Amino acid sequence: MSLAELPTPLEPTRGVVELVGAASTSELWLKRDDRSSPVYGGSKLRLLEHLLGRAVEQGATDVYATGAVGSNFTLATALHAPRVGLRPGAICFPQPLTAEGERNQSALRSRARVVDIAHWSLLPLAGEAQRLRGIGRRERVVVLSQTGLSSDALLGYVSAGLELAQQVAAGACPPPAIIVLPIGSAATSAGLVAGLSLARKVGLWRGPAPELAAVRIAAWPLSRRARVLALAERALGRLAELAQDGSLALSRAELAPVTLVTGQLGPGYPHPTPAGTQASELFARAGLAILDGTYSAKAAAHALELLRSAKRGPVLLWCTKSSAPLL
């Protein structure tokens, strides 16, 4: 289902570079996935295009997104599911709530059926309970997850990597030496690795592949390098199957380099960090009030460290959190 306004733009940020005191030759670019929709943007939308499309294909009447209280995924589902004729619901487990999380949860409860559970381990039982209740109401309920993703669902993020390669090839941005983004479930990171690796394979990306710096915002086991690479391989294997072209199933040695950055995690998910707060304030001073303390601010803090070190070429920060106002 087409939900996002793509391609999302690339923008230079000279104001941030100057405020951080980086060398005049330093470059920081933004991939504005935060602007992927005026309804609710961010990187979740690329995933939902496939998840909601599959739900419609299956004849669903209702979808229940699963996630922690205040999650972006559950809210994004609640806002976009009605656009394709689906009634939204959410199954939420507890987590410490930030101000951003409280706003998300308040907006979610006004737009979707919300089922609260005591612990994430109860998600399978809660999901099955909603499916059975749906049968009793003559509804077909599909439960959506960010963790148990099919290879097809990752194709939205593979497309994101190809999208960036096309923009770079068209001169919209210099080839970044490093791409910085937060990593939670690893889906975005894996898809980008797959897409960028595929772009090199087919000659769309010239020169060395950019390094993906995945900034951990959640604990092991979801946020780990091995998971990123395994998911990327699965996505490319599925693409090769769909295209009936075995050469697209790249080996792990052919994948773009990935570094897992652990120094910005702080007390853990979803707690903000001093470095992330400073990054948010600096971006806001530059006219870019687009960071949240749980995800994007921690990634931005690492991007600023790279700028201060002046040891790398152009840095690209992938903006994953929606900046659309909640109406």
Side-chain angles (χ1 to χ4, degrees):
M1 309 299 292
S2 180
L3 299 171
E5 297 181 1
L6 304 174
T8 55
L10 289 162
E11 295 178 359
T13 59
R14 284 306 310 167
V16 171
V17 172
E18 291 168 1
L19 285 171
V20 81
S24 59
T25 55
S26 298
E27 293 183 70
L28 176 64
W29 288 75
L30 303 180
K31 178 62 168 160
R32 298 297 304 268
D33 260 29
D34 61 299
R35 291 168 51 187
S36 59
S37 170
V39 177
Y40 191 85
S43 61
K44 307 298 184 188
L45 200 49
R46 296 182 186 267
L47 174 63
L48 284 173
E49 287 194 326
H50 290 261
L51 292 180
L52 295 181
R54 178 54 60 86
V56 169
E57 183 182 56
Q58 293 172 342
T61 58
D62 297 70
V63 288
Y64 277 76
T66 58
V69 170
S71 87
N72 297 321
F73 179 62
T74 57
L75 179 56
T77 303
L79 290 166
H80 288 287
R83 297 178 62 196
V84 297
L86 297 170
R87 286 190 296 263
I91 304 173
C92 300
F93 55 87
Q95 72 165 352
L97 267 182
T98 63
E100 182 75 22
E102 289 179 353
R103 285 192 294 271
N104 278 6
Q105 196 67 8
S106 176
L108 174 69
R109 291 188 184 280
S110 69
R111 292 167 169 85
R113 298 174 178 173
V114 178
V115 177
D116 294 302
I117 58 176
H119 192 265
W120 62 263
S121 62
L122 298 174
L123 283 173
L125 289 174
E128 183 61 21
Q130 292 310 309
R131 281 191 286 267
L132 293 175
R133 289 192 181 101
I135 292 172
R137 296 190 296 253
R138 296 186 179 181
E139 300 168 349
R140 181 172 175 81
V141 173
V142 171
V143 179
L144 308 180
S145 170
Q146 295 183 91
T147 55
L149 293 173
S150 69
S151 298
D152 284 6
L154 293 170
L155 296 182
Y157 296 127
V158 177
S159 294
L162 293 169
E163 176 182 302
L164 175 61
Q166 288 179 318
Q167 289 176 303
V168 170
C173 172
I178 187 164
I179 299 171
V180 182
L181 77 165
I183 177 174
S185 67
T188 307
S189 299
L192 286 179
V193 167
L196 292 168
S197 304
L198 183 61
R200 288 191 72 215
K201 175 74 173 183
V202 301
L204 180 58
W205 188 282
R206 307 285 184 180
E211 176 189 340
L212 195 79
V215 180
R216 177 180 274 171
I217 58 87
W220 190 91
L222 289 180
S223 301
R224 53 193 173 94
R225 184 174 178 274
R227 176 174 163 83
V228 172
L229 298 174
L231 289 175
E233 287 181 305
R234 277 179 47 198
L236 289 170
R238 177 58 175 154
L239 191 61
E241 178 185 342
L242 292 170
Q244 298 183 345
D245 183 352
S247 69
L248 302 182
L250 306 185
S251 68
R252 188 160 295 195
E254 295 176 282
L255 296 180
V258 180
T259 300
L260 187 66
V261 179
T262 60
Q264 300 293 341
L265 181 60
Y269 182 89
H271 302 286
T273 62
T277 301
Q278 290 172 9
S280 293
E281 293 171 350
L282 190 146
F283 269 65
R285 284 169 56 198
L288 293 163
I290 60 172
L291 303 181
D292 70 296
T294 301
Y295 290 90
S296 54
K298 295 179 180 181
H302 181 67
L304 296 183
E305 283 188 5
L306 293 172
L307 288 178
R308 292 187 185 101
S309 70
K311 294 179 181 178
R312 307 300 297 265
V315 175
L316 175 67
L317 176 64
W318 203 284
C319 301
T320 57
K321 167 67 177 172
S322 175
S323 57
L326 284 175
L327 302 178

